[in-house]
Amino acid sequence: MSNTEALFRPKSIAVVGASRHPGKIGYEVLKNLINYGFKGKIYPVNPKADEILGLKTYPKVSSIPDEVDMIVVSVPAKLVPGVVEDAGKKGVKVAVIITSGFKEIGKVELEREVVETARKHGMRVLGPNIFGIVYTPLRINATFGPQEVIPGSVGFITQSGALGIALMGMTIVEKIGVSTIVSIGNKADIDDADLLQFLEKDESTKVVLIYLEGVTDGKKFMKAAESFSLRKPLIVVKAGKTEAGAKAVASHTGSLAGNVAIYSTLFKESGILEAVNVEQAFDWARAFSYLPPYEDGQLVIVTNGGGAGVLATDVLAENGISLSRPPDSLVNSLKPKLPEFASLKNPIDVTGMISNEGYVDAVIEAIRNDGVGAVLALYCETAVTDPVVIADELINAVKELGGLRKPITVAMIGGEKSYKAVAKLNEAGIPTYPMPERAASSMAALINYRKVRERVERRLKELGRTTNA
Amino acid sequence: MSNTEALFRPKSIAVVGASRHPGKIGYEVLKNLINYGFKGKIYPVNPKADEILGLKTYPKVSSIPDEVDMIVVSVPAKLVPGVVEDAGKKGVKVAVIITSGFKEIGKVELEREVVETARKHGMRVLGPNIFGIVYTPLRINATFGPQEVIPGSVGFITQSGALGIALMGMTIVEKIGVSTIVSIGNKADIDDADLLQFLEKDESTKVVLIYLEGVTDGKKFMKAAESFSLRKPLIVVKAGKTEAGAKAVASHTGSLAGNVAIYSTLFKESGILEAVNVEQAFDWARAFSYLPPYEDGQLVIVTNGGGAGVLATDVLAENGISLSRPPDSLVNSLKPKLPEFASLKNPIDVTGMISNEGYVDAVIEAIRNDGVGAVLALYCETAVTDPVVIADELINAVKELGGLRKPITVAMIGGEKSYKAVAKLNEAGIPTYPMPERAASSMAALINYRKVRERVERRLKELGRTTNA
């Protein structure tokens, strides 16, 4: 097991700075680790306690009688180098340093001391100035954030602590399942590239989303991103895209946000899907995480509201995706079933007169059609339909199909019932949004990722680099 | 009372095609009209019934013994001209024609006949092919959409029926209060410009949002928009912004979506605030509807998460809004109260260590400062704070200030509690969003509207046109 791997797959974790006092970081981390169900060994380290949360405590890491793979540290900054030295000597593989008060407030030397101490012993460091790490396949929640993170296949890396922990909570409400959440903070040692190298091969992770303020080693990042993009989609929200934003970054994490133009080029070249904002990034991540990749074949829009179809068509066109006439076989099979004034162009407008069954049938017909490669289903709540019934029927119909073998994104627009339907569909693994543009943008990301991957592949070939994809 | 005015302020309404059968449009419209509490007279018209929903019915409009200002028509298309003739003779001022099956399916002649018949009698026509009209100040809900629309000051005009009715439901869930919702459909007679002329003077309407596919009389629309923009913000979501979208529009409402570039120029010149999508349009409408206009003075960001501050700074910069150092008086008064590593630049980063009270105090201090013209408050849910408590305290503090005299937009980012806090603050009239970028974009719209208004004013002066603003 490499030491980066130990970050995700430790067999034993020591919580250094474990506390008996609820509200303290050292208490919350230990509680989350125990309650979220980590099956490995957990050792609280606190020289002033015998037992915390039912576990025997140890005065220091080196006094733990067994092997320790990972330590999670929340003691004051000035004590951190000593803890790292002690753990390093014992052979700990990775230190997750939650403690803040390092480079971000100008204490560059103290941070360097920590990293150098760790390196001396071949130990890796995550942080400092972070909220911890989650890895759901092994039920690790070593953070002081929310406890009941939903297991899933989104990997979320965040350079911002407070925003990251808030978004961690958001994923729970929005039913976005994660494989991992990594607070990367000052990136004194382990950086985004290191994490991407691991997650590229991690079977539990289908897509990675990074909240990025700046990178320290551009070349290393780009190489890791390229390699990652060949296998899995990589979504980035770049903070500090403007000069003013870059200044704000400098006073936040002390990172160089760098030149905007350079980032955009770098992102494009290395196959990164750049989202305009956090909402869009998670919209996309949801779609990639739930769905099979887009392979080939036409994208068909099915809508019961013409306006929603127009808005979606605009978003697709803005993302370089054009719509062609639906396959004849689909047109022929749908025609007799739809209301008189339905439009069988693309978007297929089944009209507001359609029933629950009529709407679901049209969507399923589209999914089943061999010429169709992807479906964008838009639904506007009408007096003659019930969005919750539609959600249930759609979920059942997809089950009967044996799951989704091509991507579909859904928008359910309306009142209370539509909001319920959105939640239901998302829980069932059908990515659904309350706005047509969000469903369309997610579909565009799915389709464009195929092109992006091919472009990276071509580029690497031209450069004579081998790819292992 | 002008005949357009009768659309919003009828003293009596006849529902032509009133039905006893729930689910039928003629039933739903009558039920909404009665249950939403319209205080004027309501006459169901149906030759085959004596009484519907407890009201005496009449065989036709002309057999109603009293004056009738408005008729709401849902009889089959071919019967509409006869109904309009009968009502016109009686002196009805305006016909709201819900019935579809006119120009949108190629029946141009039938639509023309309706309008000509109406004009002969000096009657105005809304529609056809619409879901009706809402005007909350007089408790009019003459639609077959959701009943319990929330009264407020947003005017919503929609060219799309199914999407419009779905968004009507969305405003209820999202606590967006409306003064009016007008389904404008085929615009055979009354168009956006007519509505703007009325709403410009309507005291219950603070902001108008139009879902627009195309305009028929560009000059008339532009003049009405200009005049409107001088008094109130006008937000437009343009559907059919791309060539593909324009084609979809043609097959939807039969409107000419027109040339994209032309629309954007026209919008800018006439002071329209163009939103990129429906979500953004309602985000802005919420802010304009709740808040006093931005007058002058600095915009200050207060955040407990550096990342959220960076994202907001980017959005502001992209919208031409730069941040300068907060007023010294604010810096001096905040400094002693904030954690050691707080940043007192702009964004003011009060750090993730701040308490509930500390956060609310900082926001209120900013609002109270004379040099501050607007506040953007960003909050990331942390372990040491409670978003619901913060919402309550902020609501109370604003009450103690005697309400808001300058604009503030808020983002509450996090889990379940943050979502509750968002709803609470919105109910209390403080525009709040679950994402930092959405709060920032709404603030940018508020600030830029002042510039837009001034630009329109200058332009009209140069053209030698008088303005009555």
Side-chain angles (χ1 to χ4, degrees):
Chain A
M1 180 160 64
S2 83
N3 289 1
T4 311
E5 214 182 322
L7 187 60
F8 295 93
R9 297 186 182 139
K11 292 198 180 70
S12 51
I13 303 175
V15 179
V16 185
S19 165
R20 278 164 300 192
H21 305 294
K24 289 271 175 197
I25 288 175
Y27 174 89
E28 300 296 333
V29 170
L30 185 65
K31 194 189 69 181
N32 274 344
L33 209 45
I34 296 169
N35 291 352
Y36 195 60
F38 176 55
K39 293 282 173 285
K41 285 178 183 157
I42 306 172
Y43 304 103
V45 174
N46 179 335
K48 290 178 192 153
D50 292 331
E51 196 191 281
I52 302 178
L53 285 163
L55 294 177
K56 175 175 163 44
T57 61
Y58 297 85
K60 46 187 185 168
V61 176
S62 58
S63 44
I64 297 168
D66 301 306
E67 253 186 58
V68 175
D69 286 337
M70 182 201 281
I71 56 171
V72 183
V73 183
S74 60
V75 300
K78 60 177 192 296
L79 304 180
V80 172
V83 168
V84 168
E85 171 68 23
D86 176 58
K89 274 192 200 150
K90 186 177 163 60
V92 167
K93 296 186 177 109
V94 63
V96 172
I97 301 177
I98 289 179
T99 311
S100 58
F102 293 89
K103 201 179 106 190
E104 81 281 6
I105 59 158
K107 304 222 167 165
V108 179
E109 274 312 313
L110 188 62
E111 187 163 310
R112 195 176 297 156
E113 191 188 340
V114 169
V115 175
E116 280 170 5
T117 308
R119 289 218 173 118
K120 202 172 61 186
H121 300 288
M123 179 163 65
R124 300 296 306 261
V125 171
L126 181 71
N129 186 26
I130 62 177
F131 62 81
I133 183 166
V134 168
Y135 187 65
T136 61
L138 295 183
R139 304 296 297 180
I140 297 171
N141 182 345
T143 75
F144 56 92
Q147 185 184 292
E148 284 308 323
V149 182
I150 302 170
S153 62
V154 175
F156 173 40
I157 300 172
T158 171
Q159 197 168 352
S160 180
L163 179 65
I165 213 166
L167 293 174
M168 186 176 169
M170 183 275 290
T171 63
I172 300 173
V173 181
E174 295 288 340
K175 329 263 185 217
I176 298 173
V178 297
S179 56
T180 181
I181 298 178
V182 189
S183 174
I184 198 165
N186 294 5
K187 308 185 193 181
D189 175 31
I190 293 175
D191 63 11
D192 310 87
D194 296 319
L195 297 175
L196 287 177
Q197 276 161 23
F198 172 82
L199 295 173
E200 184 183 326
K201 283 158 204 148
D202 178 51
E203 281 179 13
S204 305
T205 303
K206 277 180 71 180
V207 50
V208 164
L209 188 170
I210 308 183
Y211 167 85
L212 184 73
E213 298 197 344
V215 295
T216 27
D217 185 341
K219 272 199 184 155
K220 181 182 172 195
F221 178 72
M222 190 161 161
K223 236 185 126 182
E226 268 172 6
S227 174
F228 189 93
S229 300
L230 287 174
R231 298 182 179 221
K232 302 173 187 178
L234 175 57
I235 302 165
V236 170
V237 194
K238 175 68 173 74
K241 280 186 279 196
T242 61
E243 215 176 296
K247 267 188 209 161
V249 161
S251 85
H252 176 217
T253 40
S255 281
L256 291 172
N259 181 298
V260 187
I262 288 177
Y263 270 101
S264 272
T265 311
L266 184 149
F267 285 176
K268 217 165 249 164
E269 284 190 359
S270 43
I272 289 171
L273 304 167
E274 191 181 358
V276 298
N277 54 37
V278 171
E279 182 178 275
Q280 186 172 77
F282 279 96
D283 280 353
W284 293 358
R286 186 199 290 284
F288 281 115
S289 126
Y290 292 175
L291 296 173
Y294 169 73
E295 300 286 352
D296 215 333
Q298 274 185 49
L299 165 64
V300 168
I301 301 181
V302 178
T303 183
N304 73 336
V310 176
L311 293 170
T313 304
D314 276 335
V315 170
L316 293 168
E318 282 161 358
N319 286 283
I321 295 163
S322 56
L323 297 166
S324 44
R325 217 184 116 78
D328 283 342
S329 52
L330 181 60
V331 170
N332 294 336
S333 77
L334 282 180
K335 199 163 196 170
K337 300 183 196 167
L338 294 181
E340 195 186 347
F341 300 113
S343 166
L344 283 151
K345 294 174 191 165
N346 201 356
I348 295 175
D349 184 350
V350 297
T351 84
M353 328 250 284
I354 198 97
S355 65
N356 293 328
E357 296 71 30
Y359 181 80
V360 173
D361 277 359
V363 172
I364 294 296
E365 283 263 20
I367 293 178
R368 292 169 63 111
N369 191 285
D370 285 338
V372 172
V375 176
L376 176 52
L378 308 172
Y379 165 80
C380 298
E381 190 173 333
T382 62
V384 295
T385 53
D386 183 330
V388 177
V389 173
I390 288 186
D392 285 336
E393 287 184 6
L394 200 55
I395 291 166
N396 285 337
V398 166
K399 262 188 210 144
E400 272 168 34
L401 287 177
L404 290 168
R405 253 156 294 172
K406 37 186 111 163
I408 171 171
T409 63
V410 181
M412 305 284 278
I413 311 138
E416 206 66 69
K417 282 184 183 175
S418 289
Y419 280 71
K420 264 186 209 153
V422 169
K424 270 199 161 190
L425 285 159
N426 279 322
E427 269 179 280
I430 301 173
T432 307
Y433 309 86
M435 284 288 159
E437 297 97 334
R438 291 171 64 182
S441 148
S442 301
M443 180 50 77
L446 282 164
I447 293 179
N448 283 335
Y449 170 59
R450 205 201 56 178
K451 295 181 205 162
V452 161
R453 204 181 45 202
E454 286 165 2
R455 200 178 55 220
V456 172
E457 217 153 5
R458 265 199 312 277
R459 196 174 146 269
L460 291 186
K461 256 184 208 148
E462 282 165 20
L463 290 171
R465 280 200 226 154
T466 39
T467 73
N468 1 305
Chain B
M1 180 160 64
S2 84
N3 288 3
T4 314
E5 213 182 322
L7 186 62
F8 296 93
R9 297 187 184 139
K11 292 199 179 71
S12 51
I13 303 175
V15 178
V16 185
S19 165
R20 278 164 301 189
H21 306 294
K24 289 273 175 196
I25 288 175
Y27 175 89
E28 300 296 331
V29 169
L30 186 64
K31 196 192 68 181
N32 273 344
L33 209 45
I34 295 168
N35 290 354
Y36 195 61
F38 176 55
K39 292 283 172 287
K41 286 179 184 153
I42 307 172
Y43 304 105
V45 174
N46 178 335
K48 289 176 193 155
D50 292 332
E51 197 191 282
I52 302 177
L53 285 166
L55 294 176
K56 176 175 163 38
T57 60
Y58 296 86
K60 44 187 187 166
V61 176
S62 58
S63 46
I64 297 169
D66 302 306
E67 255 184 56
V68 175
D69 286 339
M70 182 201 278
I71 55 170
V72 183
V73 183
S74 62
V75 299
K78 61 177 192 290
L79 302 180
V80 172
V83 167
V84 167
E85 172 67 23
D86 177 59
K89 273 190 197 153
K90 188 178 163 59
V92 168
K93 296 185 177 107
V94 64
V96 172
I97 302 178
I98 289 178
T99 312
S100 56
F102 293 90
K103 202 179 105 190
E104 82 280 7
I105 59 157
K107 305 225 166 165
V108 179
E109 275 311 313
L110 188 64
E111 185 163 311
R112 195 176 299 156
E113 192 189 339
V114 170
V115 175
E116 278 169 8
T117 308
R119 288 219 173 118
K120 203 172 64 188
H121 299 289
M123 181 163 62
R124 301 297 307 263
V125 171
L126 181 72
N129 185 26
I130 63 177
F131 62 81
I133 183 167
V134 168
Y135 187 66
T136 60
L138 296 184
R139 302 296 299 179
I140 296 171
N141 182 345
T143 75
F144 56 92
Q147 187 183 292
E148 286 306 325
V149 183
I150 302 170
S153 61
V154 174
F156 172 40
I157 300 171
T158 171
Q159 197 168 351
S160 178
L163 178 65
I165 214 165
L167 293 173
M168 187 174 166
M170 181 276 290
T171 63
I172 299 172
V173 181
E174 295 288 340
K175 328 263 184 215
I176 297 174
V178 298
S179 56
T180 183
I181 298 177
V182 189
S183 175
I184 198 165
N186 295 4
K187 309 185 192 180
D189 175 32
I190 293 174
D191 64 10
D192 311 86
D194 295 321
L195 297 176
L196 287 177
Q197 275 160 23
F198 172 82
L199 294 173
E200 184 182 325
K201 283 159 203 146
D202 177 51
E203 281 179 13
S204 305
T205 303
K206 276 177 74 178
V207 51
V208 164
L209 186 169
I210 308 183
Y211 167 84
L212 185 74
E213 299 197 343
V215 295
T216 28
D217 186 342
K219 272 198 184 157
K220 183 182 170 195
F221 178 72
M222 190 163 162
K223 236 186 123 181
E226 268 171 8
S227 175
F228 188 93
S229 300
L230 288 173
R231 293 181 182 222
K232 300 170 185 177
L234 176 55
I235 301 163
V236 170
V237 195
K238 176 67 174 71
K241 279 184 281 196
T242 61
E243 217 177 294
K247 268 189 209 161
V249 161
S251 84
H252 176 218
T253 41
S255 282
L256 293 171
N259 181 297
V260 186
I262 288 177
Y263 270 101
S264 273
T265 312
L266 186 148
F267 285 177
K268 217 165 246 167
E269 282 190 359
S270 43
I272 288 169
L273 304 167
E274 191 180 358
V276 296
N277 55 35
V278 171
E279 180 178 277
Q280 186 173 74
F282 279 96
D283 279 354
W284 293 358
R286 187 199 289 284
F288 281 115
S289 125
Y290 291 176
L291 296 172
Y294 169 74
E295 300 285 354
D296 217 333
Q298 275 185 51
L299 165 63
V300 168
I301 300 180
V302 178
T303 184
N304 74 335
V310 176
L311 293 170
T313 303
D314 276 336
V315 170
L316 293 168
E318 280 160 0
N319 285 283
I321 295 163
S322 57
L323 296 165
S324 44
R325 217 185 114 78
D328 282 342
S329 52
L330 182 60
V331 171
N332 293 336
S333 76
L334 283 181
K335 199 163 195 166
K337 300 183 196 169
L338 295 182
E340 194 185 347
F341 300 112
S343 165
L344 282 150
K345 293 175 191 167
N346 199 358
I348 295 173
D349 184 349
V350 298
T351 84
M353 329 249 284
I354 200 99
S355 65
N356 293 326
E357 298 69 33
Y359 181 79
V360 174
D361 277 358
V363 172
I364 294 296
E365 282 261 19
I367 293 178
R368 291 169 62 111
N369 190 286
D370 286 337
V372 172
V375 175
L376 176 52
L378 309 172
Y379 165 80
C380 298
E381 191 173 334
T382 61
V384 294
T385 53
D386 183 329
V388 177
V389 172
I390 286 185
D392 286 338
E393 286 185 5
L394 199 55
I395 291 166
N396 285 337
V398 167
K399 262 188 207 143
E400 272 168 34
L401 286 178
L404 289 169
R405 251 156 296 174
K406 38 184 111 161
I408 170 172
T409 62
V410 181
M412 305 283 279
I413 310 136
E416 207 66 68
K417 281 184 182 175
S418 288
Y419 281 69
K420 265 187 208 152
V422 169
K424 269 200 162 189
L425 284 160
N426 279 321
E427 270 181 278
I430 301 173
T432 306
Y433 309 87
M435 284 288 159
E437 297 98 333
R438 291 172 65 181
S441 149
S442 301
M443 180 50 78
L446 282 165
I447 293 179
N448 283 336
Y449 171 60
R450 205 199 58 179
K451 293 180 206 161
V452 162
R453 202 180 48 203
E454 286 166 359
R455 199 178 57 219
V456 172
E457 216 154 7
R458 264 198 315 277
R459 195 175 147 268
L460 293 185
K461 257 185 207 147
E462 281 163 23
L463 291 170
R465 279 200 228 154
T466 39
T467 73
N468 1 304

